[in-house]
Amino acid sequence: MSRTTGFSSFIHAMWKYKALTLMMLPAVLVLLAHSYLPMFGIFIAFKNVNYLDGIWGSPWVGFDNFQFLFSSGDMWRIVRNTLLYSLTFMIMNLVLSVSIAVAINEIRRRLLAKVYQSFIILPHFLSMVVVSYLVYAFLQPDHGFINATVLKAFGQDPVFWYSEKEYWPYILVFVNAWKHAGFGAVIYIAAIAGIDPEYYEAALIDGASKWKQITHITLPFIRPVIIIMTILSMGSIFSSDFGLFFQVPMNSGALYPVTDTVDTYVYRALMQLNDIGMSSATALVQSVVGFIMVIATNSMVRRIDREQALF
Amino acid sequence: MTKLKGRRPLFTAILLVLALSLQACSGGNNGGSAEPSASSSAAATNSTSSAEPAGGAEALKPYEVSIIYFGAPQRDDALVEAKLSEYFKEKFNATVDLQPIASSEYKQKTELMLNAGEPMDLVFTASWLNFFGNVAKGAFLDLDDLLAKYGQGISENLNPIYLEAPRYKGKLYGIPTNKEITQGKAYTYRKDIIDKYNIPIEDIKTMSDFEPWFKLLKEKEPGLILDFIKESGEGMMYETRSNFRAIGPTPNKIPLFLYDYTNTDNIQIKSVVDPEISSIAQAEYELNRSYYEKGYINSDAATTTTEIGDLRKQGKIWMQQAVWKPGADIELKIASDNKYDFVSKVIEEPIVTTDLAAGSMFSISRTSKDPERAMMVLNALHTDPYAVNLFVNGIEGTHYKKISENRIEPIADSGYGSSALFWVVGNQLINYLKPGQPDDLYTSWKQFNDEAKRSPLLGFVFDESPVKNEITQLTSVIGEYRAASTGAIPDPAKMLAERNEKLKKAGIEKVKTELQTQIDAWKAAQ
């Protein structure tokens, strides 16, 4: 009984806010078409697909397609890279995005704030291939900016960036932050804009410093947004930005120990074979791990503060 | 008041929805082959309706044969398609639907089409486009009967060795394009440099022999890249230093298994972790390292994606390790905008292997609705000079001028003929000659084909499916260490040892045993 009223009130709400419903519609359709529809294909992960029998008729092979992923000698390295980079990116981007948002919010000249904001967001729209060549312009061994200008000016020996792996964890984290932090900040800027200015006025009257205002008003108010964003990004913890790990290091073999992630490994291993069963198996593993991570993070948040949990 | 409030957001919402859906539409159009193929098939149906039934082919129902081939789309594809359709319509009531796909996306796109079971007739394929893998998955039709019935012209023209290669479990699945059946390997030089410094190219047989000349040219010709190396492949080290040749999987163009091609009776497979093989690799890797340290090799060897052809046009290349066939030096000259003359010293005698003989073919998709007609079209492209030259060079007067019986002059920027289709389609030996090609080119190719030595493993195909997991792992190990051969990585010997250790862990011995077993079984069945 209560369920039907729940449902009918849901429909009622949808109708009541039909403008919002309509605005949501394209996104929902895209989500359905791109994320829910393909889920029917999960069974491909358990099949050895051939053209003759087609997708439906090909023989079932149980968990055979998963074997290559787990029997790989590099399994540990791939999982470590994927998880550590994802975590680092998450923390870095969170700290940077929130700092940028707070900083931009403090700029009194609105025009300047918009200009800064635009410049910081811009890299988000560049393709990773373009980014990889920007990085290449800095790191190219002969005439790259760093070797030919910076290191030369200090009288240092040139570094062969694309064959020396120790620098790459930093380079990748830097590139990722440069590319994504600005875009992440947009959401926090919006959240900050929603805070009632009266709180700041009251704080000002009480003589609170800027820093006090940030830590006691701004951050507590955007905490729910931070938590939601973190839970959501947990879902992709076992996936990696293919462009970042494949294009930016120029697919250089010597760097694999620090650049090989699940996505690049699968791409390199299966490029030759064209086996859609094995590729589907990997995607399934990634999704399952992501799902578990979202649920786990959410329940952790719920345990600490019930109000803040996503669901 | 409330009404107004309600309406405005609704209006904005509708606008937003419209804008988004528009964006989605335009996005969808950009990303596919939909456009060229749609327009070309539209042109095809037009031509069908205009060219009403002609005599000679009443018995056959009209059918449109789709041809998917390796080549960049050209402006006048639709014109050529209409002309070809008109011609085939008269002969056997068939029209054609030309579907060129650019080289960079050919493999991916066709495999997607195969996976989706799209209806297609003739599909260009090759050993290097995973032909045997696709055959094993049942992508193509068995062609023996079709060839006997509708492709007699093909079997008459084609050197019989050709039809030994594209076989899987004894059955024929591809019809090779008639051209040079194999390629030798050579050091190819720019003639002006050789003449200027009197370099005795006859005496240079391995990379070690280059040392004094690199040294000299480094001083005298500072603009040259003396030894241009790209990270994929290992050059010709096995060809110049041994009788070992590659067989089986070659991830990143690096062979994993080799056999001695002079030993025809008792074929023993060796893997790259075998001491005899890895000592060859180590010598070559260390030599490259020393060349790299002396500055003879391009400093970005580990990562460069530059094409050697572009550097050659800029005059920066004086020597390259290249494939060779009669006329190769002239082909290179034409490819370099006629700027330089080239001269080659052949290092490896050409031997016919399965991969080379199956290097350019057409297969008939299992989704074809009329395989007989597809074979008829293919037969015409192998036997009929008008048809194949129309396909490759375009329309006379519009795309080329005819100079003599079998020689043409292409018209620049004519909208057709700039894609290199001669090695893709049908029979190159009945293509018109282009400026610079000698009159006897095709006779010398025929002779080359007749004299080519057979590999003892010609016709053997490795079925990778029993060791699929091992091969994916070997592939990723090879990928990681592939730059070790370029010289750009310090201590190549240590890298090589490390790589071999990893290859052993990844199961190279198991794959080797499987390969040897399959070869023995194949040999016994012969």
Side-chain angles (χ1 to χ4, degrees):
Chain A
M1 186 62 195
S2 69
R3 188 177 279 183
T4 44
T5 45
F7 185 71
S8 68
S9 76
F10 170 73
I11 294 289
H12 186 73
M14 293 276 279
W15 183 246
K16 190 174 166 196
Y17 303 110
K18 47 186 174 296
L20 294 177
T21 309
L22 200 60
M23 280 168 84
M24 196 178 69
L25 200 65
V28 169
L29 286 180
V30 167
L31 190 72
L32 279 179
H34 284 218
S35 304
Y36 282 86
L37 211 59
M39 273 192 209
F40 292 107
I42 285 178
F43 69 92
I44 292 174
F46 303 96
K47 285 197 155 199
N48 186 10
V49 176
N50 63 52
Y51 303 137
L52 204 60
D53 302 323
I55 287 172
W56 303 103
S58 295
W60 296 95
V61 290
F63 282 91
D64 275 9
N65 286 332
F66 294 83
Q67 218 179 8
F68 90 103
L69 196 61
F70 295 105
S71 58
S72 161
D74 292 331
M75 191 59 200
W76 156 241
R77 179 173 98 184
I78 300 159
V79 171
R80 180 201 65 193
N81 283 350
T82 314
L83 292 181
L84 280 186
Y85 277 121
S86 288
L87 276 176
T88 316
F89 290 171
M90 246 162 66
I91 295 166
M92 280 292 285
N93 287 2
L94 178 70
V95 172
L96 283 174
S97 296
V98 171
S99 318
I100 291 171
V102 169
I104 283 187
N105 190 53
E106 295 300 330
I107 297 173
R108 286 284 151 254
R109 302 267 294 274
R110 288 334 281 166
L111 180 71
L112 268 184
K114 288 281 170 228
V115 170
Y116 290 142
Q117 198 181 329
S118 306
F119 274 110
I120 295 173
I121 292 173
L122 203 64
H124 179 79
F125 299 103
L126 290 180
S127 144
M128 265 301 174
V129 180
V130 177
V131 174
S132 77
Y133 280 97
L134 286 178
V135 174
Y136 190 65
F138 280 89
L139 302 183
Q140 205 271 351
D142 281 340
H143 8 77
F145 179 72
I146 304 246
N147 275 359
T149 312
V150 179
L151 292 180
K152 211 173 185 182
F154 289 104
Q156 301 281 326
D157 284 335
V159 176
F160 287 86
W161 297 98
Y162 288 94
S163 47
E164 290 179 39
K165 60 182 185 226
E166 51 268 38
Y167 305 108
W168 280 87
Y170 306 105
I171 297 175
L172 292 174
V173 170
F174 177 80
V175 170
N176 182 69
W178 172 79
K179 194 159 162 27
H180 295 301
F183 195 74
V186 173
I187 289 163
Y188 298 114
I189 291 173
I192 292 172
I195 302 173
D196 195 331
E198 280 177 21
Y199 290 103
Y200 293 103
E201 283 159 19
L204 217 57
I205 291 166
D206 289 348
S209 65
K210 267 271 171 277
W211 179 248
K212 280 261 152 82
Q213 288 178 29
I214 291 169
T215 50
H216 286 91
I217 303 172
T218 314
L219 289 183
F221 266 104
I222 61 172
R223 198 171 76 138
V225 182
I226 294 178
I227 290 172
I228 290 174
M229 296 306 288
T230 310
I231 294 175
L232 289 181
S233 60
M234 275 291 172
S236 53
I237 193 160
F238 205 51
S239 319
S240 57
D241 182 345
F242 179 80
L244 180 67
F245 292 99
F246 187 83
Q247 305 285 2
V248 175
M250 293 279 170
N251 189 21
S252 172
L255 305 177
Y256 284 3
V258 295
T259 61
D260 209 4
T261 61
V262 176
D263 296 82
T264 57
Y265 177 79
V266 169
Y267 176 78
R268 289 182 192 117
L270 297 184
M271 255 299 266
Q272 308 274 333
L273 274 175
N274 179 34
D275 190 315
I276 60 172
M278 284 156 108
S279 330
S280 307
T282 324
L284 183 57
V285 170
Q286 286 183 316
S287 307
V288 168
V289 173
F291 185 70
I292 293 172
M293 287 308 291
V294 169
I295 299 286
T297 319
N298 189 63
S299 69
M300 227 160 75
V301 171
R302 193 209 294 271
R303 196 157 296 170
I304 298 165
D305 182 355
R306 221 183 145 72
E307 289 285 294
Q308 305 283 1
L310 199 53
F311 47 84
Chain B
M1 190 62 193
T2 39
K3 252 185 191 172
L4 244 173
K5 248 187 193 166
R7 229 169 242 168
R8 250 202 211 135
L10 188 64
F11 179 68
T12 343
I14 291 173
L15 260 183
L16 262 174
V17 170
L18 278 178
L20 273 174
S21 56
L22 266 178
Q23 218 173 14
C25 289
S26 63
N29 269 351
N30 286 339
S33 68
E35 232 180 310
S37 69
S39 65
S40 60
S41 62
T45 40
N46 276 345
S47 71
T48 349
S49 54
S50 64
E52 279 302 292
E58 290 89 2
L60 290 163
K61 270 193 273 175
Y63 182 72
E64 186 179 73
V65 177
S66 59
I67 308 179
I68 290 92
Y69 59 96
F70 191 88
Q74 304 181 68
R75 202 173 63 227
D76 282 352
D77 280 336
L79 270 182
V80 170
E81 181 182 81
K83 260 302 215 228
L84 268 178
S85 293
E86 199 182 302
Y87 184 67
F88 286 142
K89 182 124 194 112
E90 245 169 70
K91 294 206 115 179
F92 34 76
N93 207 12
T95 53
V96 289
D97 173 15
L98 300 187
Q99 297 187 20
I101 298 177
S103 56
S104 53
E105 46 186 18
Y106 188 85
K107 184 167 183 285
Q108 235 182 348
K109 254 190 183 167
T110 47
E111 286 186 340
L112 199 65
M113 289 161 95
L114 291 170
N115 268 323
E118 250 178 64
M120 313 183 266
D121 299 299
L122 291 169
V123 184
F124 177 80
T125 177
S127 51
W128 44 274
L129 290 171
N130 196 20
F131 167 71
F132 292 105
N134 286 329
V135 168
K137 285 190 199 165
F140 305 124
L141 292 177
D142 156 19
L143 299 177
D144 280 308
D145 293 342
L146 285 170
L147 184 69
K149 258 188 226 159
Y150 303 104
Q152 286 115 340
I154 296 175
S155 354
E156 275 164 30
N157 276 320
L158 221 49
N159 189 323
I161 303 179
Y162 263 127
L163 296 176
E164 290 177 34
R167 286 181 185 276
Y168 181 74
K169 297 193 174 151
K171 286 184 184 148
L172 184 71
Y173 288 96
I175 306 291
T177 299
N178 197 6
K179 50 186 194 69
E180 82 282 0
I181 196 165
T182 179
Q183 289 157 338
K185 291 204 169 147
Y187 289 122
T188 299
Y189 305 91
R190 228 171 78 187
K191 198 157 179 302
D192 55 325
I193 302 278
I194 299 301
D195 293 345
K196 190 170 167 192
Y197 297 99
N198 258 326
I199 300 170
I201 61 172
E202 291 300 320
D203 298 341
I204 299 179
K205 289 179 183 126
T206 66
M207 283 314 292
S208 335
D209 299 334
F210 278 101
E211 175 98 61
W213 304 108
F214 280 162
K215 201 171 170 205
L216 177 82
L217 290 173
K218 175 100 188 150
E219 268 170 40
K220 303 270 166 101
E221 301 277 347
L224 291 176
I225 297 171
L226 298 172
D227 185 5
F228 180 74
I229 292 187
K230 235 172 126 162
E231 37 104 40
S232 65
E234 297 174 302
M236 314 192 301
M237 64 182 194
Y238 297 119
E239 287 84 352
T240 52
R241 294 177 190 273
S242 73
N243 285 331
F244 290 114
R245 296 295 180 268
I247 185 78
T250 52
N252 285 103
K253 296 182 191 160
I254 292 179
L256 289 170
F257 305 98
L258 301 107
Y259 67 101
D260 184 341
Y261 81 102
T262 54
N263 186 352
T264 46
D265 301 322
N266 177 26
I267 299 167
Q268 284 303 322
I269 299 301
K270 291 190 180 214
S271 76
V272 288
V273 301
D274 184 285
E276 196 180 349
I277 305 287
S278 74
S279 69
I280 298 175
Q282 191 178 332
E284 189 87 355
Y285 284 19
E286 281 178 337
L287 181 71
N288 275 348
R289 181 65 190 165
S290 76
Y291 283 168
Y292 186 86
E293 281 173 333
K294 288 172 189 157
Y296 301 157
I297 292 173
N298 48 314
S299 68
D300 54 1
T303 50
T304 187
T305 47
T306 311
E307 294 295 333
I308 193 167
D310 295 334
L311 296 170
R312 203 170 48 225
K313 278 186 208 166
Q314 296 165 16
K316 288 183 178 163
I317 299 292
W318 76 285
M319 177 279 292
Q320 74 182 92
Q321 312 185 20
V323 291
W324 187 88
K325 64 194 175 188
D329 294 342
I330 294 158
E331 226 170 68
L332 207 60
K333 183 182 174 180
I334 297 173
S336 316
D337 302 337
N338 289 312
K339 279 187 196 152
Y340 306 102
D341 279 311
F342 293 92
V343 53
S344 289
K345 162 74 180 130
V346 180
I347 298 297
E348 184 205 26
E349 62 169 331
I351 56 170
V352 186
T353 62
T354 309
D355 279 352
L356 282 172
S360 165
M361 305 182 291
F362 271 96
S363 293
I364 298 181
S365 164
R366 100 190 140 75
T367 55
S368 170
K369 296 206 174 63
D370 192 346
E372 286 87 7
R373 211 77 63 87
M375 182 56 88
M376 286 182 208
V377 168
L378 192 58
N379 190 49
L381 291 173
H382 270 264
T383 51
D384 189 332
Y386 174 77
V388 72
N389 277 298
L390 181 58
F391 200 147
V392 172
N393 296 315
I395 300 161
E396 187 179 348
T398 314
H399 303 123
Y400 63 85
K401 278 183 288 197
K402 213 162 175 188
I403 296 175
S404 70
E405 181 60 26
N406 65 343
R407 191 172 273 285
I408 58 163
E409 175 101 45
I411 296 171
D413 301 322
S414 65
Y416 202 86
S418 56
S419 281
L421 296 179
F422 47 83
W423 61 272
V424 174
V425 179
N427 183 353
Q428 193 182 352
L429 306 187
I430 54 174
N431 274 197
Y432 297 139
L433 290 165
K434 295 210 188 105
Q437 290 180 325
D439 284 326
D440 63 348
L441 180 68
Y442 298 141
T443 33
S444 61
W445 278 9
K446 264 183 203 139
Q447 193 188 349
F448 178 75
N449 287 356
D450 290 340
E451 287 169 0
K453 190 176 157 68
R454 298 167 59 103
S455 151
L457 284 176
L458 174 63
F460 170 76
V461 176
F462 181 42
D463 176 11
E464 299 181 353
S465 53
V467 285
K468 217 157 66 170
N469 286 330
E470 283 74 17
I471 287 177
T472 52
Q473 287 174 42
L474 294 174
T475 303
S476 66
V477 175
I478 288 290
E480 179 173 346
Y481 289 92
R482 71 194 187 282
S485 67
T486 62
I489 312 283
D491 207 350
K494 192 179 130 232
M495 294 285 281
L496 199 62
E498 223 176 276
R499 182 195 80 175
N500 289 351
E501 216 36 62
K502 276 199 168 186
L503 286 176
K504 280 181 202 157
K505 269 198 204 128
I508 197 168
E509 287 303 318
K510 187 177 166 198
V511 183
K512 187 186 121 177
T513 318
E514 177 66 32
L515 183 59
Q516 185 75 56
T517 319
Q518 286 188 24
I519 286 175
D520 293 343
W522 173 81
K523 200 82 191 153
Q526 291 280 298

